[in-house]
Amino acid sequence: MVLVLSLCGAALLLALAGLFAFGVRRRLLQRSGGTFDCNLRWDAPEPAVYADETAHDDQARSRDGGLESGREPARERDHAREHDRGHGGKGWAYGIARYNGDQIEWFRVFSYAPRPRRFLERNLIEVIQRRRPEGEEELALLSDAVILACSLHGTRVELAMSEDALTGFLAWLEAAPPGQRANVA
C-alpha cells in the first residue's frame, strides 16, 4: 500500500513538474516581448475553392483535346484533390511566434525545446489569402482566429492568429526596409 501511494505521489509530482516547465518555458519566450499566439500548418493543402476551379479547367481541357504535356492525368489529380479536401482541421500545431529582426521564430507550445521549430523570413513570405476557419478548422483553432495563407520558398504555409496579431503581422511585413519587397495581398 505504501509503495502504491509512493508511486502515485511520484507520478503526480512528475506531472506537475512537467506542467511547471511548460509555464516557465513560455515565460522565458515571452520575456523579450514581441510574441503572439500563432497556430501553424506547414505544407497546407489548397482550399477546395481553388480545387473546384482547376477541376473546371481540367474538364474544359479534356473537351479541347486532352491534357498538356508534362501534366499528371486528371484522374490522379482529382484523387489528390479529394485527399487534400479531407484534411479539414488536421495538421495544425499550436505555437507561439516571436518577432526577431527580419524573421519570425515559431515555437511549438507543447514542447520543451528552447529553440524555434520554424523560421519565417520576412522577405520570403508572400501572403496569398486571408480567410476564416471552416468546418473542422473551427474546432481545431481558437475561436477568434483568422487564417492567413502564405507561400514560403514555394511551400504553402497557413498561419492562424487573432485579428490583433494579424494586424501586427501585416504591419511587420509591410515595414520591410527599403529595397525589400513586401508581399501583402
Side-chain angles (χ1 to χ4, degrees), residues 1-171:
M1 181 71 167
V2 174
L3 180 63
V4 171
L5 288 176
S6 297
L7 289 176
C8 288
L12 180 64
L13 281 176
L14 190 60
L16 288 175
L19 290 174
F20 181 74
F22 277 136
V24 168
R25 177 179 173 264
R26 186 173 179 114
R27 286 288 165 213
L28 289 174
L29 292 176
Q30 292 177 329
R31 181 178 54 186
S32 62
T35 60
F36 59 97
D37 291 330
C38 178
N39 299 338
L40 178 121
R41 180 158 61 172
W42 195 262
D43 203 16
E46 289 193 27
V49 173
Y50 296 147
D52 289 340
E53 289 173 2
T54 53
H56 176 70
D57 292 345
D58 289 345
Q59 289 172 354
R61 230 184 267 118
S62 65
R63 277 179 285 178
D64 294 339
L67 298 169
E68 297 173 19
S69 61
R71 306 269 317 236
E72 60 185 314
R75 194 174 324 131
E76 291 176 18
R77 202 171 33 248
D78 290 343
H79 176 71
R81 283 192 197 108
E82 289 298 322
H83 175 71
D84 286 347
R85 286 184 201 162
H87 279 283
K90 296 181 181 175
W92 287 102
Y94 294 104
I96 302 167
R98 179 172 65 188
Y99 297 107
N100 186 9
D102 283 338
Q103 67 183 5
I104 288 183
E105 300 170 336
W106 185 83
F107 300 83
R108 284 184 173 271
V109 167
F110 300 109
S111 171
Y112 295 111
R115 303 188 126 212
R117 175 84 171 162
R118 302 273 185 196
F119 293 90
L120 309 173
E121 295 180 37
R122 179 179 6 212
N123 62 341
L124 300 176
I125 298 173
E126 183 177 347
V127 176
I128 300 171
Q129 178 190 24
R130 174 181 170 170
R131 64 181 177 87
R132 293 276 178 201
E134 302 169 348
E136 294 176 5
E137 288 177 333
E138 292 175 352
L139 301 173
L141 302 173
L142 298 174
S143 62
D144 64 341
V146 176
I147 298 173
L148 195 66
C150 302
S151 176
L152 184 70
H153 294 292
T155 301
R156 184 179 171 87
V157 177
E158 290 183 339
L159 304 169
M161 58 190 84
S162 69
E163 284 280 351
D164 294 339
L166 177 65
T167 301
F169 179 79
L170 293 175

